[in-house]
Amino acid sequence: MGLGKKMGWALLWICAMGLFTLSAAATVHKVGDSTGWTTLVPYDYAKWASSNKFHVGDSLLFNYNNKFHNVLQVDQEQFKSCNSSSPAASYTSGADSIPLKRPGTFYFLCGIPGHCQLGQKVEIKVDPGSSSALLAPSSAPSQSPLPNGPAPLGTPSALAPPPSAASTVSYYSLLCLPLAAYVVAFYSLCV
């Protein structure tokens, strides 16, 4: 086997290992697990959040009946006082996938009167994490932050599939696998 083919196979192996690494990197966190985002069943969202580790590149999935609930991203003071008057972002699809694009603490609550006071709110602490979020293309347009408010993490996506390692893997494949084929072909011609 010529040097070019060996280099091509080596690059292909590196790409495959990269794909394996990226597929294990991103996690979709279903808020409230099987209970979802609701007030019908008493649920401790603070306990749920403390039992999970959130990293850059992961995403939150809020599942709820959108006739009775919503998801608002707010700042810390609004979170503490259950003030939903000027959220940084508003989600209403009933299956909202919110990518965790940067480290920090983020606050979400239901803006329906009385729901936040009943405990339908969650504080998410995002640790720096996987660089896979930097490789994955964003499918939704970005929102600009509100003056004096938190920058929104994502944009509403009605019934869109949650971002996952699959979108990162396909993007990675678009970059890496053709490069490996090019190297094999180039060095095959040179040898």
Side-chain angles (χ1 to χ4, degrees), residues 4-56:
K5 287 184 181 178
K6 287 180 183 176
M7 288 182 67
W9 282 111
L11 185 57
L12 193 57
W13 183 82
I14 290 168
C15 290
M17 291 301 101
L19 289 172
F20 175 75
T21 302
L22 289 175
S23 67
T27 301
V28 175
H29 299 276
K30 187 176 176 188
V31 178
D33 293 324
S34 61
T35 302
W37 186 241
T38 186
T39 54
L40 293 179
V41 176
Y43 193 84
D44 189 343
Y45 292 103
K47 184 177 180 182
W48 173 84
S50 68
S51 68
N52 285 279
K53 294 283 186 191
F54 305 97
H55 296 93
V56 172

Short mmCIF file of all heavy atoms in Angstrom, two decimals, residues 4-56:
data_model
loop_
_atom_site.label_atom_id
_atom_site.label_comp_id
_atom_site.label_asym_id
_atom_site.label_seq_id
_atom_site.Cartn_x
_atom_site.Cartn_y
_atom_site.Cartn_z
N GLY A 4 0.35 7.41 0.09
CA GLY A 4 -0.89 8.19 -0.04
C GLY A 4 -2.09 7.44 0.51
O GLY A 4 -2.93 8.00 1.21
N LYS A 5 -2.17 6.16 0.17
CA LYS A 5 -3.31 5.37 0.66
C LYS A 5 -3.24 5.21 2.18
O LYS A 5 -4.25 5.27 2.86
CB LYS A 5 -3.35 4.01 -0.02
CG LYS A 5 -3.79 4.11 -1.47
CD LYS A 5 -3.93 2.75 -2.11
CE LYS A 5 -4.36 2.92 -3.56
NZ LYS A 5 -4.46 1.65 -4.24
N LYS A 6 -2.01 5.04 2.70
CA LYS A 6 -1.85 4.92 4.15
C LYS A 6 -2.28 6.21 4.84
O LYS A 6 -2.97 6.19 5.85
CB LYS A 6 -0.40 4.59 4.52
CG LYS A 6 0.01 3.18 4.22
CD LYS A 6 1.44 2.93 4.62
CE LYS A 6 1.87 1.53 4.25
NZ LYS A 6 3.28 1.30 4.54
N MET A 7 -1.89 7.35 4.26
CA MET A 7 -2.28 8.63 4.84
C MET A 7 -3.78 8.83 4.75
O MET A 7 -4.42 9.34 5.66
CB MET A 7 -1.54 9.78 4.16
CG MET A 7 -0.07 9.84 4.52
SD MET A 7 0.78 11.21 3.75
CE MET A 7 0.01 12.59 4.55
N GLY A 8 -4.36 8.42 3.63
CA GLY A 8 -5.81 8.53 3.46
C GLY A 8 -6.57 7.69 4.47
O GLY A 8 -7.53 8.15 5.08
N TRP A 9 -6.09 6.45 4.66
CA TRP A 9 -6.74 5.58 5.64
C TRP A 9 -6.57 6.14 7.05
O TRP A 9 -7.48 6.07 7.88
CB TRP A 9 -6.20 4.15 5.56
CG TRP A 9 -6.79 3.41 4.40
CD1 TRP A 9 -6.13 3.02 3.27
CD2 TRP A 9 -8.14 3.01 4.24
NE1 TRP A 9 -6.99 2.41 2.41
CE2 TRP A 9 -8.25 2.37 2.99
CE3 TRP A 9 -9.29 3.12 5.01
CZ2 TRP A 9 -9.43 1.85 2.50
CZ3 TRP A 9 -10.48 2.60 4.52
CH2 TRP A 9 -10.55 1.98 3.29
N ALA A 10 -5.39 6.71 7.32
CA ALA A 10 -5.15 7.30 8.65
C ALA A 10 -6.10 8.48 8.88
O ALA A 10 -6.70 8.61 9.95
CB ALA A 10 -3.70 7.75 8.78
N LEU A 11 -6.26 9.31 7.86
CA LEU A 11 -7.17 10.45 7.98
C LEU A 11 -8.61 9.98 8.13
O LEU A 11 -9.37 10.52 8.95
CB LEU A 11 -7.03 11.37 6.77
CG LEU A 11 -7.82 12.67 6.80
CD1 LEU A 11 -7.46 13.49 8.04
CD2 LEU A 11 -7.57 13.49 5.55
N LEU A 12 -8.97 8.95 7.40
CA LEU A 12 -10.32 8.39 7.52
C LEU A 12 -10.55 7.85 8.94
O LEU A 12 -11.61 8.07 9.52
CB LEU A 12 -10.52 7.29 6.48
CG LEU A 12 -11.93 6.80 6.23
CD1 LEU A 12 -12.84 7.95 5.83
CD2 LEU A 12 -11.93 5.73 5.17
N TRP A 13 -9.54 7.19 9.51
CA TRP A 13 -9.65 6.66 10.86
C TRP A 13 -9.81 7.81 11.86
O TRP A 13 -10.63 7.75 12.78
CB TRP A 13 -8.43 5.82 11.20
CG TRP A 13 -8.51 5.19 12.56
CD1 TRP A 13 -9.18 4.05 12.91
CD2 TRP A 13 -7.94 5.70 13.77
NE1 TRP A 13 -9.05 3.81 14.25
CE2 TRP A 13 -8.30 4.81 14.81
CE3 TRP A 13 -7.17 6.80 14.08
CZ2 TRP A 13 -7.90 5.01 16.12
CZ3 TRP A 13 -6.77 6.99 15.39
CH2 TRP A 13 -7.14 6.09 16.38
N ILE A 14 -9.02 8.88 11.68
CA ILE A 14 -9.12 10.05 12.56
C ILE A 14 -10.51 10.65 12.48
O ILE A 14 -11.12 11.02 13.48
CB ILE A 14 -8.03 11.09 12.22
CG1 ILE A 14 -6.66 10.54 12.62
CG2 ILE A 14 -8.31 12.43 12.90
CD1 ILE A 14 -5.50 11.35 12.07
N CYS A 15 -11.05 10.74 11.25
CA CYS A 15 -12.41 11.28 11.08
C CYS A 15 -13.43 10.41 11.80
O CYS A 15 -14.33 10.91 12.46
CB CYS A 15 -12.75 11.39 9.59
SG CYS A 15 -11.85 12.67 8.73
N ALA A 16 -13.29 9.10 11.67
CA ALA A 16 -14.23 8.18 12.32
C ALA A 16 -14.18 8.34 13.84
O ALA A 16 -15.21 8.36 14.51
CB ALA A 16 -13.94 6.74 11.92
N MET A 17 -12.98 8.47 14.39
CA MET A 17 -12.85 8.66 15.84
C MET A 17 -13.45 10.01 16.25
O MET A 17 -14.07 10.12 17.30
CB MET A 17 -11.38 8.58 16.27
CG MET A 17 -10.78 7.20 16.15
SD MET A 17 -11.64 5.96 17.14
CE MET A 17 -12.65 5.13 15.93
N GLY A 18 -13.28 11.02 15.42
CA GLY A 18 -13.89 12.32 15.70
C GLY A 18 -15.40 12.23 15.72
O GLY A 18 -16.07 12.81 16.57
N LEU A 19 -15.96 11.46 14.77
CA LEU A 19 -17.41 11.28 14.74
C LEU A 19 -17.88 10.58 16.00
O LEU A 19 -18.90 10.93 16.58
CB LEU A 19 -17.83 10.47 13.51
CG LEU A 19 -17.70 11.18 12.18
CD1 LEU A 19 -17.95 10.20 11.03
CD2 LEU A 19 -18.66 12.34 12.10
N PHE A 20 -17.15 9.57 16.44
CA PHE A 20 -17.52 8.85 17.66
C PHE A 20 -17.49 9.79 18.86
O PHE A 20 -18.39 9.79 19.68
CB PHE A 20 -16.57 7.67 17.87
CG PHE A 20 -16.82 6.95 19.17
CD1 PHE A 20 -17.91 6.10 19.30
CD2 PHE A 20 -15.97 7.12 20.25
CE1 PHE A 20 -18.15 5.44 20.50
CE2 PHE A 20 -16.20 6.47 21.44
CZ PHE A 20 -17.30 5.63 21.56
N THR A 21 -16.45 10.60 18.95
CA THR A 21 -16.32 11.54 20.06
C THR A 21 -17.46 12.55 20.06
O THR A 21 -18.05 12.83 21.09
CB THR A 21 -14.97 12.29 19.97
OG1 THR A 21 -13.93 11.31 19.98
CG2 THR A 21 -14.79 13.25 21.12
N LEU A 22 -17.78 13.10 18.89
CA LEU A 22 -18.85 14.09 18.81
C LEU A 22 -20.21 13.50 19.13
O LEU A 22 -21.04 14.15 19.74
CB LEU A 22 -18.88 14.73 17.42
CG LEU A 22 -17.72 15.66 17.10
CD1 LEU A 22 -17.81 16.11 15.65
CD2 LEU A 22 -17.69 16.84 18.04
N SER A 23 -20.44 12.25 18.75
CA SER A 23 -21.76 11.67 18.99
C SER A 23 -22.02 11.49 20.47
O SER A 23 -23.15 11.45 20.91
CB SER A 23 -21.91 10.35 18.25
OG SER A 23 -21.03 9.38 18.80
N ALA A 24 -20.96 11.39 21.27
CA ALA A 24 -21.12 11.22 22.71
C ALA A 24 -21.14 12.57 23.43
O ALA A 24 -21.36 12.63 24.62
CB ALA A 24 -19.99 10.36 23.25
N ALA A 25 -20.92 13.67 22.71
CA ALA A 25 -20.72 14.96 23.35
C ALA A 25 -22.02 15.66 23.73
O ALA A 25 -22.12 16.20 24.81
CB ALA A 25 -19.90 15.86 22.44
N ALA A 26 -23.00 15.72 22.86
CA ALA A 26 -24.20 16.51 23.11
C ALA A 26 -25.29 15.67 23.76
O ALA A 26 -25.50 14.52 23.41
CB ALA A 26 -24.72 17.09 21.80
N THR A 27 -25.99 16.29 24.73
CA THR A 27 -27.08 15.62 25.43
C THR A 27 -28.33 16.46 25.32
O THR A 27 -28.28 17.68 25.46
CB THR A 27 -26.73 15.44 26.93
OG1 THR A 27 -25.53 14.67 27.04
CG2 THR A 27 -27.84 14.74 27.68
N VAL A 28 -29.46 15.82 25.06
CA VAL A 28 -30.75 16.49 25.08
C VAL A 28 -31.36 16.22 26.45
O VAL A 28 -31.58 15.07 26.82
CB VAL A 28 -31.68 15.97 23.95
CG1 VAL A 28 -33.05 16.60 24.07
CG2 VAL A 28 -31.07 16.24 22.59
N HIS A 29 -31.60 17.29 27.20
CA HIS A 29 -32.17 17.17 28.55
C HIS A 29 -33.66 17.47 28.46
O HIS A 29 -34.06 18.60 28.21
CB HIS A 29 -31.51 18.17 29.51
CG HIS A 29 -30.04 17.97 29.66
ND1 HIS A 29 -29.51 17.06 30.54
CD2 HIS A 29 -28.99 18.57 29.04
CE1 HIS A 29 -28.19 17.11 30.47
NE2 HIS A 29 -27.85 18.01 29.56
N LYS A 30 -34.48 16.45 28.69
CA LYS A 30 -35.94 16.63 28.68
C LYS A 30 -36.35 17.19 30.03
O LYS A 30 -36.29 16.49 31.05
CB LYS A 30 -36.64 15.31 28.39
CG LYS A 30 -38.12 15.45 28.21
CD LYS A 30 -38.76 14.13 27.83
CE LYS A 30 -40.25 14.28 27.76
NZ LYS A 30 -40.92 13.00 27.58
N VAL A 31 -36.75 18.45 30.05
CA VAL A 31 -37.08 19.14 31.30
C VAL A 31 -38.27 18.44 31.97
O VAL A 31 -39.32 18.27 31.36
CB VAL A 31 -37.39 20.63 31.04
CG1 VAL A 31 -37.80 21.33 32.34
CG2 VAL A 31 -36.19 21.32 30.40
N GLY A 32 -38.06 18.03 33.20
CA GLY A 32 -39.10 17.31 33.94
C GLY A 32 -39.18 15.84 33.61
O GLY A 32 -40.12 15.16 34.04
N ASP A 33 -38.22 15.33 32.85
CA ASP A 33 -38.21 13.93 32.43
C ASP A 33 -39.57 13.53 31.85
O ASP A 33 -40.11 14.26 31.03
CB ASP A 33 -37.77 13.02 33.58
CG ASP A 33 -36.31 13.26 33.97
OD1 ASP A 33 -35.50 13.52 33.06
OD2 ASP A 33 -35.99 13.19 35.18
N SER A 34 -40.14 12.43 32.29
CA SER A 34 -41.41 11.96 31.72
C SER A 34 -42.60 12.83 32.13
O SER A 34 -43.64 12.81 31.48
CB SER A 34 -41.67 10.50 32.11
OG SER A 34 -41.77 10.39 33.52
N THR A 35 -42.47 13.60 33.19
CA THR A 35 -43.55 14.49 33.63
C THR A 35 -43.71 15.66 32.66
O THR A 35 -44.82 16.12 32.41
CB THR A 35 -43.27 15.02 35.05
OG1 THR A 35 -43.15 13.90 35.93
CG2 THR A 35 -44.38 15.94 35.53
N GLY A 36 -42.59 16.14 32.13
CA GLY A 36 -42.63 17.27 31.21
C GLY A 36 -42.72 18.60 31.96
O GLY A 36 -42.39 18.71 33.13
N TRP A 37 -43.22 19.61 31.26
CA TRP A 37 -43.32 20.99 31.77
C TRP A 37 -44.79 21.22 32.08
O TRP A 37 -45.59 21.44 31.18
CB TRP A 37 -42.80 21.92 30.68
CG TRP A 37 -42.67 23.37 31.00
CD1 TRP A 37 -43.34 24.38 30.37
CD2 TRP A 37 -41.82 24.00 31.96
NE1 TRP A 37 -42.96 25.60 30.88
CE2 TRP A 37 -42.01 25.39 31.86
CE3 TRP A 37 -40.92 23.53 32.90
CZ2 TRP A 37 -41.33 26.30 32.66
CZ3 TRP A 37 -40.24 24.43 33.69
CH2 TRP A 37 -40.45 25.79 33.56
N THR A 38 -45.16 21.15 33.36
CA THR A 38 -46.58 21.16 33.74
C THR A 38 -46.77 21.63 35.17
O THR A 38 -45.83 21.70 35.95
CB THR A 38 -47.19 19.76 33.56
OG1 THR A 38 -48.60 19.83 33.79
CG2 THR A 38 -46.57 18.74 34.50
N THR A 39 -48.02 21.93 35.50
CA THR A 39 -48.41 22.20 36.89
C THR A 39 -49.44 21.17 37.35
O THR A 39 -49.83 21.17 38.51
CB THR A 39 -49.04 23.60 37.03
OG1 THR A 39 -50.12 23.72 36.11
CG2 THR A 39 -48.02 24.69 36.79
N LEU A 40 -49.88 20.29 36.45
CA LEU A 40 -50.90 19.30 36.81
C LEU A 40 -50.39 18.29 37.84
O LEU A 40 -51.14 17.83 38.68
CB LEU A 40 -51.39 18.56 35.56
CG LEU A 40 -52.17 19.40 34.56
CD1 LEU A 40 -52.57 18.57 33.35
CD2 LEU A 40 -53.41 20.01 35.22
N VAL A 41 -49.13 17.94 37.73
CA VAL A 41 -48.51 17.02 38.67
C VAL A 41 -47.44 17.82 39.42
O VAL A 41 -46.60 18.45 38.77
CB VAL A 41 -47.84 15.84 37.92
CG1 VAL A 41 -47.10 14.92 38.88
CG2 VAL A 41 -48.87 15.08 37.10
N PRO A 42 -47.47 17.84 40.74
CA PRO A 42 -46.42 18.58 41.46
C PRO A 42 -45.05 18.01 41.08
O PRO A 42 -44.83 16.80 41.14
CB PRO A 42 -46.73 18.32 42.93
CG PRO A 42 -48.15 17.90 42.96
CD PRO A 42 -48.43 17.22 41.64
N TYR A 43 -44.15 18.89 40.64
CA TYR A 43 -42.83 18.45 40.21
C TYR A 43 -41.78 19.44 40.70
O TYR A 43 -41.99 20.65 40.63
CB TYR A 43 -42.77 18.33 38.67
CG TYR A 43 -41.55 17.58 38.20
CD1 TYR A 43 -41.55 16.20 38.15
CD2 TYR A 43 -40.40 18.25 37.84
CE1 TYR A 43 -40.42 15.49 37.74
CE2 TYR A 43 -39.27 17.58 37.43
CZ TYR A 43 -39.29 16.19 37.38
OH TYR A 43 -38.17 15.50 36.99
N ASP A 44 -40.66 18.93 41.18
CA ASP A 44 -39.58 19.76 41.70
C ASP A 44 -38.54 19.97 40.60
O ASP A 44 -37.61 19.18 40.44
CB ASP A 44 -38.96 19.09 42.92
CG ASP A 44 -37.98 19.98 43.65
OD1 ASP A 44 -37.52 20.99 43.06
OD2 ASP A 44 -37.65 19.65 44.81
N TYR A 45 -38.71 21.05 39.83
CA TYR A 45 -37.80 21.34 38.72
C TYR A 45 -36.40 21.71 39.23
O TYR A 45 -35.41 21.44 38.56
CB TYR A 45 -38.36 22.44 37.82
CG TYR A 45 -39.59 21.96 37.07
CD1 TYR A 45 -40.86 22.36 37.47
CD2 TYR A 45 -39.47 21.11 35.98
CE1 TYR A 45 -41.98 21.90 36.79
CE2 TYR A 45 -40.59 20.65 35.30
CZ TYR A 45 -41.85 21.05 35.72
OH TYR A 45 -42.95 20.58 35.04
N ALA A 46 -36.31 22.29 40.43
CA ALA A 46 -35.00 22.61 41.00
C ALA A 46 -34.23 21.32 41.29
O ALA A 46 -33.03 21.23 41.01
CB ALA A 46 -35.16 23.44 42.27
N LYS A 47 -34.91 20.33 41.81
CA LYS A 47 -34.27 19.05 42.10
C LYS A 47 -33.85 18.38 40.79
O LYS A 47 -32.77 17.81 40.68
CB LYS A 47 -35.22 18.15 42.88
CG LYS A 47 -34.62 16.83 43.30
CD LYS A 47 -35.58 16.02 44.14
CE LYS A 47 -34.99 14.70 44.54
NZ LYS A 47 -35.93 13.89 45.32
N TRP A 48 -34.72 18.46 39.78
CA TRP A 48 -34.39 17.88 38.47
C TRP A 48 -33.12 18.54 37.92
O TRP A 48 -32.19 17.85 37.47
CB TRP A 48 -35.55 18.07 37.49
CG TRP A 48 -35.19 17.65 36.10
CD1 TRP A 48 -35.23 16.38 35.59
CD2 TRP A 48 -34.69 18.49 35.06
NE1 TRP A 48 -34.78 16.39 34.29
CE2 TRP A 48 -34.44 17.68 33.94
CE3 TRP A 48 -34.41 19.85 34.96
CZ2 TRP A 48 -33.94 18.17 32.74
CZ3 TRP A 48 -33.91 20.35 33.76
CH2 TRP A 48 -33.69 19.52 32.66
N ALA A 49 -33.06 19.87 37.96
CA ALA A 49 -31.90 20.60 37.42
C ALA A 49 -30.63 20.25 38.18
O ALA A 49 -29.57 20.09 37.57
CB ALA A 49 -32.15 22.10 37.45
N SER A 50 -30.73 20.12 39.50
CA SER A 50 -29.54 19.82 40.30
C SER A 50 -29.04 18.40 40.08
O SER A 50 -27.88 18.10 40.37
CB SER A 50 -29.79 20.08 41.78
OG SER A 50 -30.71 19.14 42.30
N SER A 51 -29.89 17.53 39.57
CA SER A 51 -29.47 16.15 39.33
C SER A 51 -28.92 15.94 37.91
O SER A 51 -28.60 14.82 37.53
CB SER A 51 -30.63 15.18 39.59
OG SER A 51 -31.64 15.36 38.61
N ASN A 52 -28.84 17.01 37.13
CA ASN A 52 -28.32 16.94 35.76
C ASN A 52 -27.10 17.84 35.63
O ASN A 52 -26.98 18.83 36.33
CB ASN A 52 -29.38 17.39 34.75
CG ASN A 52 -30.44 16.34 34.54
OD1 ASN A 52 -30.25 15.40 33.79
ND2 ASN A 52 -31.58 16.51 35.21
N LYS A 53 -26.22 17.49 34.71
CA LYS A 53 -25.07 18.32 34.35
C LYS A 53 -25.34 18.88 32.96
O LYS A 53 -25.61 18.13 32.02
CB LYS A 53 -23.78 17.50 34.33
CG LYS A 53 -23.37 16.99 35.68
CD LYS A 53 -22.75 18.09 36.49
CE LYS A 53 -22.20 17.55 37.79
NZ LYS A 53 -21.82 18.57 38.70
N PHE A 54 -25.27 20.18 32.82
CA PHE A 54 -25.52 20.85 31.55
C PHE A 54 -24.22 21.43 31.01
O PHE A 54 -23.49 22.09 31.75
CB PHE A 54 -26.56 21.96 31.74
CG PHE A 54 -27.84 21.48 32.36
CD1 PHE A 54 -28.06 21.61 33.73
CD2 PHE A 54 -28.83 20.89 31.59
CE1 PHE A 54 -29.23 21.16 34.32
CE2 PHE A 54 -30.00 20.43 32.17
CZ PHE A 54 -30.21 20.56 33.54
N HIS A 55 -23.96 21.19 29.74
CA HIS A 55 -22.73 21.68 29.11
C HIS A 55 -23.07 22.41 27.83
O HIS A 55 -24.11 22.16 27.19
CB HIS A 55 -21.79 20.51 28.80
CG HIS A 55 -21.31 19.80 30.01
ND1 HIS A 55 -21.96 18.70 30.53
CD2 HIS A 55 -20.27 20.04 30.83
CE1 HIS A 55 -21.32 18.29 31.61
NE2 HIS A 55 -20.30 19.09 31.82
N VAL A 56 -22.16 23.29 27.42
CA VAL A 56 -22.29 23.95 26.13
C VAL A 56 -22.37 22.86 25.07
O VAL A 56 -21.59 21.91 25.08
CB VAL A 56 -21.10 24.89 25.87
CG1 VAL A 56 -21.12 25.43 24.45
CG2 VAL A 56 -21.09 26.03 26.88
#
